[in-house]
Amino acid sequence: MGQPPVLATGSGGAGVPAIRAVGLCKSFGPIRAVDDISVDLAHGRIYGLLGPNGSGKTTLIRLLVGLAAPTAGSAEVLGVAMPSRDNLRRIGYMTQADGVYPSLTAAENASFFAAAYGIRDASAVAQALDVVELADRRDAITATLSGGQRRRLSLACALVHRPPVLFLDEPTVGVDPLLRIQFWEHFRTLADAGTTIIVSSHVMDEADRCDELLFMRSGRVSARGTGAELRRAAGTDDLELAFIRLSEGPEVEP
Amino acid sequence: MSLRRTQALFRRVVREIRRDRPSIALLFIAPLVVTGLLTFILREGETPTIDALIVNQAGQPGTLVAAELTRALEAEGATVQAAADEVSARTAVADESATVAVLLPADLATAQPPTITILTNGLDPSADGAQVAAVQRAFLAVVASAANGAPPTIEHTTIYGVPSSDPLVAFAPALVAFFAYFFVYLLTGVSFLRERTGGTLERLMATPVARGEIVTGYSLGFGLFATLQVALLLVWVIGSVQVPSIGPLPAFAVGLGVDVAGSPVLAFLVVVVLALGAVSLGIFLSTFARTELQVIQFIPIVLTPQFLLSGVLFPISSLPAVLQPLTAIMPLTYAVDGLRQIFVRGADLGIAELRFDILVLVAFAIGFATVASLTIRREIA
Ligand SMILES: Nc1ncnc2c1ncn2[C@@H]1O[C@H](COP(=O)(O)OP(=O)(O)OP(=O)(O)O)[C@@H](O)[C@H]1O
Ligand SMILES: [Mg+2]
């Protein structure tokens, strides 16, 4: 599906991780939403961001995209320090809220964001709408779409410029099971073509489709590894149970 | 009707409003501020400065009248000087070094009654009215003390426009400016707030779009509608289309039919520049609002003072002295003055006052746009 993303390496050579956080912190008053996170994430892999509500997933993504100013530490995407307006061309960000214009049609929304990323090619819009199976609703006013359809449109708007790095904040909430499977197949296709994807999710069967999981707790990455490794760390075969144990029990060192 | 449910609703409303500080301010503080300001303007308004020139064209008989008139005007607090002739008096009133000139005619002693001419500037009719009234009072005193013959006929002429012909000539430009400003602010403020609260601004900031591009794009978009609005408003104010009677309907005219001495196109440009400033003002103020209601709440705080102080209703010279410097920082002041220069005086770009007004409006528009794009960054912290 679609052409492979423009693999812009820019200043980041082969040895540079796709995403790097060094001592990243973000406080809101007394709340330490992100608390001293340092991670390197490799190119072409799918990373799952797990953790209970309020553990700092969205805040971490906003820091990496450069939308929030860190209280301390720094973030790099493709070897470029964030925030960098120019580097945003190579990043797709699907927010947790839909963030689409309700009075525009689906196609108008997608082509607006395409233009914001400097894409003029109309086929990019058509392809993005194809991926989320909204081609037949392209001229529907967004406010009249169903909740799941709006979510899909929001994803299309994040994919439309074929970025080499994708941040997806709970992309499949409200999306039906069949489409959810197709989404993940598409994510895998993108990753195989070199796209680095960071997905936050609360759905455990989705977590199992990731190459690696980062488990967040109170603003920290409290565990990191494959699904199997997290299961082993939590001492259970059930990832759901592992999630609960990792959320409640004493902190487990990865 | 369930008491419990009603009570739950009542408590919810009270809680919500209590947490919405701007609403509380609107409810309790705004009325006090606005009525207080209005009272202050009406009660403590400055009696306008009168710098009068007397031109005596009647020779010896006029000297006595001029002296009496001078005394009577000085009793009113005016400064009075003699001018050599009508031409120099007109020049002084035109360049505002004198506020009023009194011309004593050559036939002052012979005519029954003589006609005295009062000359004012004409740009702001309500300010002129105060000048004319002061001279008329002074004449009454002179006539009473002299007690000889009939009181003179007093004729009022102006440098620009025609005195007291149509009050709308001076009032309409002020209203056009105010409403363009008001509606453009409201429209932009509310839509930009939606951009913030709807999550699309967050999304937009994750694209390579620059803040300056956002402000420029908004200015162009809302500028288009502002332009159409201003064009329609001006056509409505200036135009007068006679509709002939149709059947039982009597003939009527569409449009206010206000005379414009100058170029409508120039008037249009002045209002468009003002409106572009209002777009950025809307973006800027929406930073401080959380809800659409709060955007509306800025009206009594930001727009009403401008309405009261920028010369729309009250001449700036009649405002309390402490408030007068405030008018210099209000864009509406320059728009109202610029439009009056065009409507009443027939000013074109050769007139320095109009050039200055336009220049200040452009500076305001650029300044607001800069501040607006800075606040977009601040929001995404
Ligand atoms: N703008 C903000 N102002 C104040 N506190 C904030 C702000 N944004 C986030 N927080 C706080 O930071 C913490 C982490 O929030 P965050 O949205 O990152 O959590 P999350 O892991 O994405 O949760 P969820 O699974 O519910 O989406 C929370 O306690 C939240 O209340
Ligand atoms: Mg979140």
Side-chain angles (χ1 to χ4, degrees), chain B residues 35-376:
Chain B
T35 51
L37 187 61
L38 194 55
T39 309
F40 187 53
I41 291 171
L42 291 175
R43 278 212 191 124
E44 309 296 323
E46 294 292 311
T47 28
T49 352
I50 300 173
D51 291 314
L53 288 178
I54 298 181
V55 183
N56 178 16
Q57 297 162 316
Q60 190 51 38
T63 318
L64 183 67
V65 177
E68 296 252 4
L69 186 60
T70 303
R71 204 172 311 129
L73 276 170
E74 280 172 351
E76 291 236 9
T79 55
V80 186
Q81 283 179 301
D85 52 23
E86 186 178 337
V87 175
S88 61
R90 292 190 81 90
T91 315
V93 173
D95 69 18
E96 296 181 16
S97 59
T99 57
V100 61
V102 184
L103 308 178
L104 303 178
D107 59 359
L108 181 69
T110 53
Q112 280 301 332
T115 302
I116 309 261
T117 307
I118 302 177
L119 180 68
T120 58
N121 184 291
L123 267 189
D124 187 343
S126 44
D128 282 10
Q131 301 286 332
V132 174
V135 174
Q136 279 173 331
R137 274 196 304 277
F139 258 108
L140 277 180
V142 172
V143 170
S145 69
N148 61 343
T153 312
I154 289 184
E155 195 182 87
H156 178 204
T157 67
T158 52
I159 308 270
Y160 310 120
V162 186
S164 64
S165 57
D166 180 0
L168 268 180
V169 172
F171 197 47
L175 286 185
V176 168
F178 179 74
F179 283 115
Y181 196 61
F182 176 76
F183 288 115
V184 170
Y185 158 76
L186 205 59
L187 198 64
T188 325
V190 169
S191 5
F192 206 75
L193 187 85
R194 286 203 190 128
E195 187 100 63
R196 284 179 198 283
T197 55
T200 47
L201 185 63
E202 164 98 350
R203 193 96 194 233
L204 211 49
M205 295 309 287
T207 73
V209 166
R211 297 182 304 270
E213 289 165 357
I214 297 181
V215 173
T216 311
Y218 258 75
S219 299
L220 289 176
F222 287 103
L224 173 70
F225 287 98
T227 304
L228 296 176
Q229 182 213 35
V230 171
L232 181 69
L233 201 55
L234 279 174
V235 167
W236 166 249
V237 164
I238 297 168
S240 174
V241 178
Q242 298 299 322
V243 180
S245 68
I246 312 160
L249 279 175
F252 62 96
V254 175
L256 306 183
V258 174
D259 285 326
V260 184
S263 150
V265 176
L266 206 52
F268 170 75
L269 283 180
V270 169
V271 191
V272 166
V273 176
L274 176 77
L276 285 179
V279 170
S280 300
L281 183 72
I283 293 179
F284 169 63
L285 287 181
S286 77
T287 316
F288 305 101
R290 290 281 160 268
T291 63
E292 290 174 19
L293 183 64
Q294 290 181 356
V295 172
I296 296 170
Q297 285 161 354
F298 282 117
I299 292 170
I301 299 160
V302 177
L303 293 184
T304 312
Q306 293 207 51
F307 184 66
L308 293 178
L309 297 181
S310 61
V312 177
L313 284 183
F314 310 107
I316 290 173
S317 57
S318 77
L319 294 175
V322 287
L323 295 180
Q324 289 193 17
L326 279 181
T327 63
I329 58 164
M330 299 182 168
L332 207 50
T333 306
Y334 301 93
V336 168
D337 184 71
L339 286 178
R340 284 205 176 125
Q341 298 275 355
I342 296 166
F343 268 63
V344 182
R345 182 178 178 178
D348 54 29
L349 285 177
I351 303 295
E353 285 95 329
L354 180 59
R355 278 203 309 271
F356 177 72
D357 285 331
I358 293 177
L359 219 62
V360 175
L361 285 174
V362 169
F364 266 117
I366 293 173
F368 280 151
T370 311
V371 173
S373 54
L374 290 180
T375 58
I376 293 177

Side-chain angles (χ1 to χ4, degrees), chain A residues 26-29 31-34 50-62 96 169-170 200-202 216 219, chain B residues 381:
Chain A
K26 177 73 181 177
S27 305
F28 296 103
I31 298 172
R32 305 175 99 172
V34 166
L50 305 182
N53 290 142
S55 56
K57 302 181 293 294
T58 299
T59 308
L60 175 61
I61 293 176
R62 296 187 72 228
Q96 193 169 358
D169 203 349
E170 303 192 23
S200 81
S201 176
H202 292 292
M216 288 192 69

